[in-house]
Amino acid sequence: MPRPRLETALTSAAFVFVLWFFHWTVSANSGYDNWEDMDYYQSLVRGWQKGQLHLDKDPSPELLALKDPYDPEQNLPHKLGDATLYRGRYYLYFGAAPALTLMLPYALLTGGSMTMGVATMVFCSIAFLAASGLWLAIRRRYFPASGWWMAPCGVLAIGFGTHLLALAQRPMIWELPIASGIAFTMLALIGGYAAILGRRPLLAMAAAGLCVGLAVGSRPTCLFAAGALLVPVWLAWRERQPGGMWWRMGVAALVPLGACGLAIMAHNYARFDNPLEWGQDYQLSGAYEGKLTHF
């Protein structure tokens, strides 16, 4: 059948073109260069490998000698911008999940170090592939009579019509956790979709809950994505599936999500003596963060 073959060929070409363009965008913006001390995630991984939670870089004596090291007018010449300073050590305010799930395993397996640009490219690609795959699955199941051109056009729209391209354009410490959060959120949506239609809903819900937890570990605001986990549970309850499937699905998602939440709070407490403090109050930015009301 020529039409399905044409659709498959053009859709595959759309995937390749988007991924190539992401790669070109990262490369054109020096994303694959080693930014040394400006690559906070590399410094975080090196710190972990030394058995510490703070970055593998010490604050300058001039910074620590200031009367108020958090005052942006005093710390400007001496600070590591947007790093968190607490009890004489630098920490990372941004979520640690990208380093834990990708950069640390890479370092342990290869003995090398992954730059934040490469990590951003990986997570942007995962987010794009997951979102496109989910969209194609929904189209194939619920809109089988749609035009053949919808498949490649939809993939191109997801690749070029979302925030992913903006993240690839500036693959730095701010964009990496956002890309990671999007990637894990998209994987969580795939898990929810598999829980609704697949043969192993409990396993799918557990995977979805874990992915939401890792998304929160990348970016705290991804906690709002947990609401998507309620949809499969509600459908199972509405359809009166036997064996109390709806609440079993809820527990399957809640256990890994709760485990991630406890791990995040334990990590925060170990760093800042407060389970709900990510480090923003001690961040060295262009403002006096400790005097601002963030939420």
Side-chain angles (χ1 to χ4, degrees), residues 61-112:
E62 294 81 4
L63 177 66
L64 299 178
L66 293 176
K67 182 178 180 181
D68 186 355
Y70 298 102
D71 185 349
E73 294 184 0
Q74 299 182 41
N75 63 30
L76 183 60
H78 313 294
K79 69 181 179 182
L80 191 64
D82 271 356
T84 291
L85 178 68
Y86 187 72
R87 292 189 175 179
R89 293 171 175 173
Y90 277 134
Y91 293 91
L92 194 61
Y93 152 71
F94 306 96
L100 179 65
T101 58
L102 179 62
M103 301 177 75
L104 178 62
Y106 178 86
L108 295 177
L109 291 174
T110 67

Side-chain angles (χ1 to χ4, degrees), residues 5 19 43 47 53 63 72-73 80 152 159 172 187 195 197-198 202-203 205 222 230 256 287:
R5 285 199 296 267
L19 291 175
S43 181
L53 295 178
L63 177 66
E73 294 184 0
L80 191 64
M172 301 184 71
L187 293 174
L197 300 174
L202 298 183
L203 181 61
M205 287 298 292
C222 290
L230 298 176

Side-chain angles (χ1 to χ4, degrees), residues 21-239:
F21 196 82
F22 280 4
H23 163 72
W24 177 83
T25 303
V26 172
S27 178
N29 289 277
S30 303
Y32 296 132
D33 295 347
N34 193 336
W35 289 67
E36 302 296 340
D37 288 343
M38 292 302 296
D39 194 329
Y40 298 178
Y41 274 94
Q42 273 192 337
S43 181
L44 176 64
V45 171
R46 290 197 303 268
W48 286 351
Q49 291 179 298
K50 292 182 178 180
Q52 62 193 39
L53 295 178
H54 52 279
L55 303 185
D56 186 32
K57 180 175 177 59
D58 296 326
S60 66
E62 294 81 4
L63 177 66
L64 299 178
L66 293 176
K67 182 178 180 181
D68 186 355
Y70 298 102
D71 185 349
E73 294 184 0
Q74 299 182 41
N75 63 30
L76 183 60
H78 313 294
K79 69 181 179 182
L80 191 64
D82 271 356
T84 291
L85 178 68
Y86 187 72
R87 292 189 175 179
R89 293 171 175 173
Y90 277 134
Y91 293 91
L92 194 61
Y93 152 71
F94 306 96
L100 179 65
T101 58
L102 179 62
M103 301 177 75
L104 178 62
Y106 178 86
L108 295 177
L109 291 174
T110 67
S113 58
M114 178 182 291
T115 66
M116 57 187 173
V118 173
T120 303
M121 171 64 189
V122 170
F123 282 116
C124 283
S125 299
I126 292 174
F128 162 68
L129 293 173
S132 298
L134 179 59
W135 179 81
L136 290 173
I138 292 173
R139 172 184 174 269
R140 182 169 57 250
R141 181 177 183 87
Y142 296 104
F143 307 96
S146 61
W148 61 268
W149 49 270
M150 286 294 295
C153 287
V155 170
L156 292 174
I158 292 174
F160 297 124
T162 64
H163 195 61
L164 293 174
L165 191 57
L167 299 177
Q169 189 176 11
R170 198 182 77 159
M172 301 184 71
I173 57 170
W174 304 274
E175 287 72 26
L176 174 54
I178 300 174
S180 174
I182 296 173
F184 284 119
T185 299
M186 292 298 103
L187 293 174
L189 291 179
I190 289 179
Y193 185 76
I196 295 171
L197 300 174
R199 297 180 179 179
R200 297 182 177 179
L202 298 183
L203 181 61
M205 287 298 292
L210 175 62
C211 286
V212 172
L214 292 173
V216 176
S218 305
R219 195 73 172 170
T221 50
C222 290
L223 182 61
F224 292 108
L229 300 176
L230 298 176
V231 176
V233 176
W234 174 75
L235 288 174
W237 172 82
R238 190 188 67 171
E239 296 171 1

